[in-house]
Amino acid sequence: MKLTTKTIIYYLLISLPLLLIAGLFSYYLISSELKDGTDEALFKEKINCEKQIQLFNQPKIIYLSLDSLSSIKPIVFTKNKFFYIDTLIYDKLEGEPLNLRILKSFYTTKNQSYLITLSKPTLEDDELMEGLYSAFALIISFLLIAFFVVNWFIAKILWKPFYTTLQQLNNYDLKNNAFTNFKNVSTKEFQQLNVALNKMTEKIYLDYAQQKQFTENASHEMQTPLAIIKIALDNLFQSPNLKEEELLILQNIESATNKLSQLNKALLLLTKIENNQFNTSQKINLNALITRLVNDYQLIYEAKNVSLSLVLNQEITIQLNPILAELLIGNLINNAYKHNMANGTIEIKLENNSFIISNSGNELSFNKNDLFKRFKKDDTSKDSLGLGLAIVKSITDNYNYTILYTDTNSQHVFTLKFN
Amino acid sequence: MKILLIEDEPDLRKAIKLFLHNEGYTIESADDFVKALEKINNYSYDCILVDVTLPKGNGLDIVKHLKACNSKAGIIVISAKNSLDDKIEGLDIGADDYLPKPFHLSELNARIKSLIRRRNFDGNKNIVLNEISINPENRSVSVNNEEVILTSKEYDLLLYFISNKNRVLSKANIAEHLVGDHADQIDNHDFIYTHLKNLRKKLIEKGCTDYVQTIYGIGYNFKIL
């Protein structure tokens, strides 16, 4: 939810109960003021009536209104007193009940008592409520409009630097941008935010660059000692007096060394792909590349007796570094062979601007979302480095291709889409 | 046969020198750029092995220098960078071969032999070993003057064995040689068994002695007594 929307909701949540209380308060205030006003008017009339009575020569009945609700009537002697009553009568003219405030007063003059009855219609409760409702509805709508206008204004002007910063952060990509300069702004808080962000992105970038450099240097430095171990082993193997157990130990050392060396090369390769160090590219015909690689891998995995079908329906040419192209396609083909079963199948298709390779094989022993992660490998493939598909993913990420994995009917399908 | 090794890492230099010496080459070495240039300018070599990263300079500049003065020496670039860019650049400026570190000595041996064969146009081009004769130019093999039809991998295997005769070669070593550029993606070396089995069968069929000795757990030795 947007900040401005949230602000408006909070404003409304606070102002609605306040308005309700104000409404009730106004209702009681207005209705009691109205009553006081009516009473005062009736009282004034009573005094006028009393003045008139004093002018009477003899007692008589006087009707003060057509509906005979207000009248002066002579009665038997009573003490002077007056009181107000509220009553409801049916108004024939309007066809609805009418609220009346009635003043009854007993007045005695010249040994004759009179009953003065004075009535005044008062505002009905529902009419008063109705009026209040409309007034408050109007106030609320004005408030809403005002909230929106003010918030829009605040968002446009006050929060503008914040949204600019947000946009910059969204666009920030560690791989492509060295530093992002969050500009100086006049609002203190936003200025503090930008200063903090400048500091933070700079630190992150430096750490990132340092780490990249470290990976590259470390891998590089490891090559020479590995070369020495390999050569020393080669020489040791030639020794004529080695016992069988010793040979087996040497063999263990050799396979571990080879694995280390492969691992090292793969990590170095990943770093280089991510650092965009393969920047030269050329036109590559995938059909020719696939045919060549398939031949190579077929020879390597001959013993598995996998049957392969090539359906190259489309001639696809991509613009890519030749080494990366070979890694991209080669790793996928190798993967399809490596994780295949004996007498299994591989199908390779080129269509709809896509390279689709599917192979038979056991189900994955891990979540398929982890398939392209580094060092993720099946429990059964102990010798595998678990970096082949990570390299594929790294290449597709860097060159905006998409790679998709699906498994249907124990077929593992990889779809590599070129734009 | 005179070889110059330009390598700054002392252990590596020593091991390679020892190995090439045992293979019967005359071997000299230089451990930095300046010393290497000095040797190149003063003597002539049949083959020069040059590391790319050197103290006081870049190995590729040595290759350029050799080419500029029309040296007849065969050049193999060795690089710890494992950078295929180095390979492309090295071959572009005139190196004959490229070997990424870490490598097997037998691989280096095979490359040197192949390089020398290619440079040695005069004399017998065929490699002859007892009853086996190989013509590297058209990749054909004959036993007792009778041609043996080999697949490409079988041919590579035989040539690698003969280049490294009487040496124990581990399965990983042979596999790396056969697979070439894809070596880093291969984690199972069993495939060489199929190729080796077929190669042995074809050779024996033509009356060839079975020179391949299996070294339990390790690999093979092409033993010529």
Side-chain angles (χ1 to χ4, degrees), chain A residues 37-216:
Chain A
T38 316
D39 289 358
E40 215 170 292
L42 286 171
F43 192 77
K44 270 183 190 156
E45 246 176 82
K46 180 193 103 155
I47 290 170
N48 280 337
C49 288
E50 284 167 3
K51 276 180 191 160
Q52 277 195 358
I53 289 169
Q54 279 170 1
L55 299 175
F56 285 0
N57 298 322
Q58 52 183 339
K60 56 181 175 183
I61 299 174
I62 294 177
Y63 291 105
L64 299 169
S65 66
L66 281 175
D67 52 14
S68 60
L69 281 170
S70 303
S71 58
I72 303 172
K73 287 175 184 168
I75 50 167
V76 287
F77 177 78
T78 324
K79 254 200 230 162
N80 274 2
K81 62 175 179 183
F82 73 93
F83 52 89
Y84 296 97
I85 46 171
D86 285 308
T87 188
L88 207 64
I89 62 146
Y90 188 75
D91 184 2
K92 279 174 195 151
L93 274 173
E94 283 190 38
E96 58 176 22
L98 193 67
N99 265 354
L100 283 182
R101 183 76 170 166
I102 292 173
L103 171 67
K104 281 190 186 284
S105 174
F106 300 94
Y107 180 65
T108 307
T109 182
K110 298 172 192 165
N111 290 326
Q112 175 64 47
S113 293
Y114 294 89
L115 169 60
I116 306 169
T117 310
L118 294 168
S119 74
K120 240 187 174 21
T122 58
L123 200 58
E124 285 157 56
D125 267 358
D126 55 340
E127 278 174 2
L128 177 61
M129 289 300 266
E130 219 169 85
L132 278 173
Y133 276 145
S134 11
F136 274 85
L138 209 66
I139 291 172
I140 289 176
S141 18
F142 274 131
L143 266 179
L144 263 179
I145 292 168
F147 280 155
F148 274 111
V149 169
V150 166
N151 272 303
W152 178 81
F153 184 75
I154 285 175
K156 266 271 172 275
I157 310 231
L158 270 184
W159 286 87
K160 197 179 172 223
F162 177 77
Y163 287 114
T164 313
T165 303
L166 203 64
Q167 178 90 31
Q168 264 181 300
L169 272 179
N170 264 332
N171 293 339
Y172 184 66
D173 180 4
L174 201 52
K175 275 181 202 162
N176 302 332
N177 305 40
F179 305 103
T180 300
N181 188 24
F182 296 96
K183 290 197 182 66
N184 286 337
V185 290
S186 55
T187 314
K188 193 182 166 200
E189 284 83 354
F190 294 146
Q191 173 63 12
Q192 281 174 337
L193 177 72
N194 283 359
V195 168
L197 282 174
N198 271 334
K199 233 190 219 168
M200 197 178 79
T201 47
E202 192 180 323
K203 172 98 175 79
I204 290 173
Y205 178 75
L206 288 178
D207 284 355
Y208 173 73
Q210 207 168 25
Q211 201 193 337
K212 273 201 312 194
Q213 193 60 47
F214 175 78
T215 317
E216 200 176 339

Side-chain angles (χ1 to χ4, degrees), chain A residues 3 29 71 73 97 115 122 133 136 141 147 200 216 228 230 253 267 296 298 302 310 379 398:
Chain A
L3 184 70
L29 213 66
S71 58
K73 287 175 184 168
L115 169 60
T122 58
Y133 276 145
F136 274 85
S141 18
F147 280 155
M200 197 178 79
E216 200 176 339
I228 294 169
K230 240 176 168 172
I253 298 175
L267 286 175
D296 287 355
Q298 231 163 5
E302 221 172 14
L310 272 181
D379 305 334
N398 268 269

